[in-house]
Amino acid sequence: MKKYSYMYFMWAVVFILFPLILILAYSFNGNVSMGFENYSFSLDNYKLFFEPLYLKILAISVIVALLSTLICLIIGYPVAYIISRLPEKVRGNLILLFVIPMWMNFLLRTYAWLTLLGNNGLLNKFFAIFGLGPFDLMYNMKAVLLGMVYNFLPFMVLPIYSVLLKIDKKLIDAAKDLGANDNMVFYKVILPLSLPGVITGITMVFIPAISTFVISNLLGGNKFYLIGNLIEQQFTFTGNWGFGSAISIILIIFMLISLFVTEKFNKKSNNKGGGEVLW
């Protein structure tokens, strides 16, 4: 057991801790350089980020991530709830439909929407049969949100589904015996007990949504510049690794804060839910 713990510790140091230390070190490099040859400690990269232009990009990224998370929640919770109430064989097949697309490369899944939403895509060809279109379905915020919801929806459905599946049916029966109708059972029993899955789903959708750049590049046509695009640009085009690292550190801090808030909310809901489930 100690051997496996040691191997895990070494893996975490090499592939998690060491890269984070490198990014942190680069973020304080005052020279626009891809190495440490002319390293100069400076806070200029962090000061640069707090200019109005970059703060606006961060604000847009947060809004888009929140919108995609909200849409995933609105769609994902009812879907997870309906599937959890179906017979075991049926719900297993339906959940598999959410899992199978995740086996495909993320980039390929996003590219597939180009053939669907383009001016000569399948959707516009379908509308053309009825004399409609072509509609401008690509390179706008709607397309970016659609791509995010499509790619991240399974991360909302699966945790909610797993929590709903573990709810003790005796609690539901007890609530009905006490005179609760279906709506009261849902709002007083099922919903409070499923909140941990909801919190997990929100976290699993929001974090990749705020840091994505592939979806906004392909479906947004570079018209919508998110924080992930800004980081990618610094490392691949501008070559300013220091500024890119500083943005990455700020984004990591932002994610940690969001995780802390959701964890606090999760603990609060658990403490309340245990005493209020059956009134």
Side-chain angles (χ1 to χ4, degrees):
M1 199 67 183
K2 291 183 178 180
K3 179 182 178 181
Y4 290 112
S5 300
Y6 177 76
M7 290 176 62
Y8 174 77
F9 175 76
M10 291 302 299
W11 178 276
V13 168
V14 174
F15 294 103
I16 300 176
L17 184 60
F18 182 66
L20 287 176
I21 293 174
L22 279 179
I23 293 173
L24 183 64
Y26 268 119
S27 69
F28 290 106
N29 188 6
N31 292 319
V32 181
S33 172
M34 292 184 292
F36 291 101
E37 295 83 5
N38 299 313
Y39 190 88
S40 173
F41 183 85
S42 173
L43 296 175
D44 290 343
N45 293 320
Y46 289 95
K47 292 178 182 178
L48 180 61
F49 179 79
F50 287 98
E51 292 186 359
L53 174 64
Y54 302 118
L55 291 178
K56 182 179 179 181
I57 293 174
L58 177 62
I60 293 173
S61 302
V62 172
I63 292 171
V64 172
L66 288 174
L67 280 175
S68 61
T69 304
L70 180 61
I71 295 172
C72 285
L73 179 60
I74 292 173
I75 298 174
Y77 194 99
V79 169
Y81 178 73
I82 292 171
I83 294 176
S84 67
R85 296 175 64 88
L86 295 174
E88 183 176 355
K89 186 175 181 180
V90 177
R91 68 177 181 239
N93 292 331
L94 290 177
I95 285 296
L96 190 62
L97 293 178
F98 282 92
V99 175
I100 288 176
M102 298 172 66
W103 297 348
M104 188 185 302
N105 183 271
F106 178 85
L107 187 61
L108 293 178
R109 295 203 309 268
T110 308
Y111 263 116
W113 282 102
L114 297 176
T115 62
L116 292 173
L117 302 178
N119 290 334
N120 295 318
L122 296 178
L123 284 178
N124 272 318
K125 287 182 179 179
F126 174 76
F127 291 133
I129 297 174
F130 304 98
L132 301 174
F135 297 105
D136 188 16
L137 304 175
M138 284 287 295
Y139 308 131
N140 51 51
M141 184 57 71
K142 294 178 182 178
V144 174
L145 283 173
L146 179 61
M148 287 187 177
V149 171
Y150 167 74
N151 281 291
F152 303 138
L153 183 60
F155 299 118
M156 182 67 73
V157 172
L158 294 176
I160 296 176
Y161 166 78
S162 63
V163 170
L164 288 171
L165 212 59
K166 294 176 182 177
I167 294 178
D168 192 347
K169 300 299 186 294
K170 293 179 181 179
L171 293 174
I172 298 175
D173 293 337
K176 290 181 178 180
D177 289 341
L178 292 171
N181 56 32
D182 290 339
N183 290 332
M184 294 178 68
V185 169
F186 176 77
Y187 287 110
K188 292 288 187 177
V189 180
I190 298 175
L191 184 59
L193 292 176
S194 64
L195 284 180
V198 172
I199 299 300
T200 302
I202 289 174
T203 304
M204 292 180 66
V205 172
F206 179 77
I207 289 179
I210 196 176
S211 58
T212 186
F213 62 92
V214 173
I215 296 174
S216 52
N217 272 346
L218 295 179
L219 301 183
N222 294 320
K223 293 181 180 179
F224 300 96
Y225 212 61
L226 303 181
I227 195 72
N229 302 105
L230 182 60
I231 295 172
E232 182 209 15
Q233 185 190 57
Q234 302 308 312
F235 283 98
T236 58
F237 297 104
T238 308
N240 191 346
W241 286 27
F243 185 46
S245 299
I247 302 171
S248 301
I249 293 296
I250 291 172
L251 187 59
I252 289 172
I253 294 172
F254 192 87
M255 290 177 180
L256 291 176
I257 292 172
S258 66
L259 285 172
F260 177 78
V261 171
T262 53
E263 184 63 25
K264 283 288 185 181
F265 183 81
N266 192 17
K267 289 181 179 179
K268 185 178 179 181
S269 64
N270 283 338
N271 292 334
K272 286 186 176 181
E276 295 182 358
V277 167
L278 294 178
W279 298 270

